[in-house]
Amino acid sequence: MANCYKKWSPYAEHYNPIEVGSKDGKDIEPHDNAIVRACNALYHPNHLLTNNPQTTLFIGRLDKNVTEKDLEDVFIKYGRLKNVTVVRDVVTGYSKRYGFVEFKNKHDCHEARSELHQTVLKGKKILVEFECQHTLPGWIPRRLGGGFGGKKESGQLRFGCLDRPWKRPVQVELNCSKTPTCDTHKHANKYRTESERLPQNLYETKDGRRDKSRSYLNRNQAKRYGSEDSSENPKRRKT
């Protein structure tokens, strides 16, 4: 039998605002206004950045008092660092509570991501994810209605990431070319057209009892059996 299931992954390989807005990635319509805004957004990655996106991690949910030195002390345990940045407001200078850590080695970057995600730094569980701006096709940032993660209180959760991976969807395989293997022909009849439906007493013997040996006859066998005796098949089509 042919395999009807496609390759499934709990993580997004390309960014689709509608898909990442659902728990299993199977939505086809936006369910909140932010997703609509993300679908209509025109976003272009900043190509002036000099960091290597393959060795750069995004660090989110930081405490407002976390500095570059704090991040360096945590991440340097996993390899040599090239650059550490905490993003700040250009006017006030206050931290925006996220930053970036660039490693010199790709292996060290991947190890730090898997080991440090949701660890506690100054009383806050931090989010550690790959830098998506240049690595994930179609990326839309949070300020435009996209992004990943989110809080339940906001009603704008985003899935398909390390923080909130997709749940495997329930898939049902349908094959309409085969008659369903039902224990009763009454249940099977609802899958047939009016002209194909079997008589109600087809599987009953003359004393009214059910003949179990005939319960799983296919359509052609049932028609042939019903055509043998017109008294047991009053709806038999005349030729």
Side-chain angles (χ1 to χ4, degrees):
M1 183 176 63
N3 186 11
C4 299
Y5 302 104
K6 298 180 180 179
K7 180 181 177 181
W8 179 84
S9 172
Y11 308 114
E13 297 180 355
H14 70 279
Y15 194 87
N16 184 315
I18 297 179
E19 292 179 356
V20 300
S22 62
K23 291 183 178 181
D24 57 4
K26 295 299 180 182
D27 279 10
I28 57 176
E29 294 183 359
H31 68 271
D32 63 57
N33 293 331
I35 294 179
V36 176
R37 190 157 51 93
C39 292
N40 297 328
L42 297 177
Y43 177 74
H44 302 285
N46 186 356
H47 296 289
L48 299 178
L49 298 178
T50 58
N51 66 300
N52 182 0
Q54 301 297 329
T55 59
T56 302
L57 294 176
F58 169 83
I59 318 300
R61 302 175 186 168
L62 296 175
D63 182 79
K64 63 180 180 179
N65 296 318
V66 170
T67 63
E68 285 82 354
K69 184 64 169 60
D70 296 326
L71 289 179
E72 182 179 352
D73 292 341
V74 173
F75 284 85
I76 200 171
K77 301 175 183 178
Y78 296 89
R80 293 183 300 168
L81 304 180
K82 188 176 180 180
N83 187 31
V84 179
T85 304
V86 174
V87 179
R88 303 179 183 277
D89 187 277
V90 294
V91 177
T92 63
Y94 293 150
S95 170
K96 290 188 174 182
R97 301 189 178 186
Y98 70 91
F100 297 91
V101 175
E102 182 181 2
F103 285 83
K104 290 186 177 181
N105 184 283
K106 187 175 181 180
H107 177 268
D108 297 337
C109 177
H110 284 249
E111 184 180 4
R113 173 183 179 258
S114 60
E115 294 293 333
L116 293 177
H117 178 61
Q118 289 191 339
T119 56
V120 179
L121 177 60
K122 287 195 173 183
K124 299 284 188 179
K125 281 188 176 181
I126 62 174
L127 166 69
V128 181
E129 185 59 277
F130 291 126
E131 193 267 336
C132 298
Q133 181 178 189
H134 296 95
T135 59
L136 190 62
W139 172 253
I140 301 294
R142 190 71 180 181
R143 67 176 185 272
L144 297 178
F148 279 133
K151 296 182 179 180
K152 293 183 178 180
E153 296 79 11
S154 67
Q156 297 179 1
L157 297 178
R158 302 293 181 262
F159 300 85
C161 59
L162 182 65
D163 186 47
R164 294 185 182 277
W166 278 322
K167 295 183 179 180
R168 183 180 289 274
V170 178
Q171 301 189 23
V172 180
E173 183 179 356
L174 298 178
N175 190 347
C176 298
S177 63
K178 296 182 180 180
T179 303
T181 56
C182 304
D183 190 46
T184 63
H185 67 280
K186 293 181 180 180
H187 185 264
N189 272 344
K190 74 177 184 179
Y191 293 93
R192 300 176 176 135
T193 61
E194 189 67 30
S195 61
E196 295 174 332
R197 292 189 177 183
L198 303 178
Q200 297 297 315
N201 62 347
L202 179 59
Y203 301 131
E204 295 179 359
T205 58
K206 293 182 179 180
D207 58 358
R209 296 182 179 180
R210 183 175 179 78
D211 188 353
K212 295 183 179 180
S213 64
R214 298 169 181 169
S215 297
Y216 294 95
L217 295 177
N218 63 32
R219 184 183 303 170
N220 294 330
Q221 290 174 325
K223 286 184 177 181
R224 286 200 299 270
Y225 171 77
S227 62
E228 291 176 1
D229 189 354
S230 60
S231 63
E232 291 187 10
N233 186 10
K235 295 183 180 180
R236 181 171 61 89
R237 184 180 298 177
K238 297 182 179 181
T239 56

